[in-house]
């Protein structure tokens, strides 16, 4: 699973309509270029690809008064919203994805309602525990990794990662169950996107040929 589709769909959805540079700017504002593959080229490629797939609708708007080619603004479609929610749900429950996928899902989890997110995270814990059980059928953590030679360090890493992942997820469940954050249907959501013209303190400043398309 790739984080870029979830990130781009989520950014466009939060704006309503957004051109590619706005999406890029938001992802840099969130630091996604540091913890995911959300680089300018991949962002612009994802926008065009998802427009072809019907997940986004591309609006060609008039060129700026300064001249230059018309800009394209993107708007998420009904199909795109469905894909966004599917990716979000899958990313919250799957235990075996890269950290960038879970990070992206955490950034959008409040787009779902509180009870659904609690259910998805509880499913995540169950999945982690089942996976840990399958590992410990042939590896006994209490005996230490050396029982299998240095290869045992691989099993040790897996089990330790599973334990840490389950512990972190349970902590998040308790915070959400205790009333943390504003989820869908609970009032004004947290605004995590930049307003038009608002300076981005985390922008890389790197130019890309498609920044103004």
């Amino acid at each position: 699973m790739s984080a870029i589709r979830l990130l781009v769909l989520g950014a466009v959805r939060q704006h309503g309509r957004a051109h590619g540079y706005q999406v890029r700017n938001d992802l840099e504002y969130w630091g996604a270029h540091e913890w995911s593959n959300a680089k300018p080229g991949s962002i612009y490629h994802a926008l065009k690809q998802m427009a072809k797939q019907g997940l986004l609708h591309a609006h060609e708007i008039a060129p700026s008064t300064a001249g230059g080619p018309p800009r394209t603004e993107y708007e998420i479609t009904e199909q795109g919203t469905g894909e966004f929610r599917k990716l979000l749900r899958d990313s919250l429950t799957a235990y075996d994805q890269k950290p960038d996928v879970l990070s992206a899902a955490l950034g959008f989890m409040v787009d779902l309602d509180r009870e659904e997110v609690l259910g998805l995270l509880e499913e995540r814990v169950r999945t982690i525990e089942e996976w840990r059980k399958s590992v410990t059928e042939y590896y006994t953590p209490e005996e230490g990794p050396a029982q299998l030679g240095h290869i045992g360090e691989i099993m040790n890493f897996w089990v330790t990662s599973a334990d840490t992942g389950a512990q972190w997820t349970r902590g998040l469940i308790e915070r959400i169950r205790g009333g943390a954050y504003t989820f869908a249907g609970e009032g004004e959501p947290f605004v995590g996107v930049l307003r038009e013209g608002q300076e981005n303190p985390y922008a890389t400043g790197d130019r890309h040929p498609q920044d103004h398309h």
Side-chain angles (χ1 to χ4, degrees):
M1 193 186 299
S2 169
I4 190 71
R5 286 168 71 86
L6 178 57
L7 285 166
V8 169
L9 285 171
V12 172
R13 187 170 179 271
Q14 288 196 14
H15 276 287
R17 272 174 67 155
H19 54 75
Y21 185 70
Q22 279 180 297
V23 173
R24 176 194 168 179
N25 209 28
D26 283 337
L27 299 196
E28 290 185 356
Y29 183 56
W30 301 336
H33 59 296
E34 300 284 358
W35 48 261
S36 79
N37 61 342
K39 303 296 188 282
S42 59
I43 293 168
Y44 296 130
H45 175 73
L47 285 165
K48 289 179 179 178
Q49 183 185 52
M50 289 193 287
K52 288 178 182 176
Q53 294 169 344
L55 305 179
L56 297 172
H57 180 72
H59 300 270
E60 191 173 277
I61 60 173
S64 68
T65 53
R71 249 185 181 165
T72 302
E73 282 191 343
Y74 296 91
E75 183 177 10
I76 195 165
T77 63
E78 185 176 342
Q79 184 183 345
T81 299
E83 176 71 2
F84 167 75
R85 291 182 182 279
K86 180 183 183 301
L87 289 171
L88 179 52
R89 291 175 177 122
D90 289 348
S91 301
L92 286 171
T93 52
Y95 71 91
D96 56 350
Q97 79 274 45
K98 294 179 180 178
D100 62 338
V101 176
L102 177 58
S103 299
L106 293 173
F108 296 119
M109 66 177 179
V110 294
D111 286 39
L112 303 174
D113 68 58
R114 186 179 299 270
E115 288 306 314
E116 180 177 9
V117 172
L118 285 170
L120 292 169
L121 292 172
E122 285 163 357
E123 176 63 23
R124 180 184 183 84
V125 172
R126 283 193 295 272
T127 305
I128 291 172
E129 288 175 340
E130 287 171 8
W131 178 71
R132 186 190 192 279
K133 184 179 178 182
S134 71
V135 173
T136 55
E137 285 177 359
Y138 52 88
Y139 171 72
T140 308
E142 293 74 20
E143 294 180 11
Q147 62 188 289
L148 299 174
H150 73 280
I151 301 301
E153 292 295 347
I154 298 172
M155 314 301 180
N156 188 48
F157 170 70
W158 288 349
V159 170
T160 303
S161 298
D163 290 342
T164 303
Q167 180 185 15
W168 171 83
T169 307
R170 289 190 189 99
L172 177 57
I173 288 170
E174 289 308 308
R175 288 189 290 279
I176 293 173
R177 190 172 281 136
Y181 318 121
T182 303
F183 287 82
E186 296 182 349
E188 283 298 311
F190 175 82
V191 178
V193 296
L194 294 162
R195 297 186 304 274
E196 183 73 42
Q198 182 181 356
E199 186 178 351
N200 180 1
Y202 309 111
T204 63
D206 297 335
R207 294 184 181 276
H208 190 276
Q210 295 185 60
D211 279 348
H212 299 291
H213 289 190

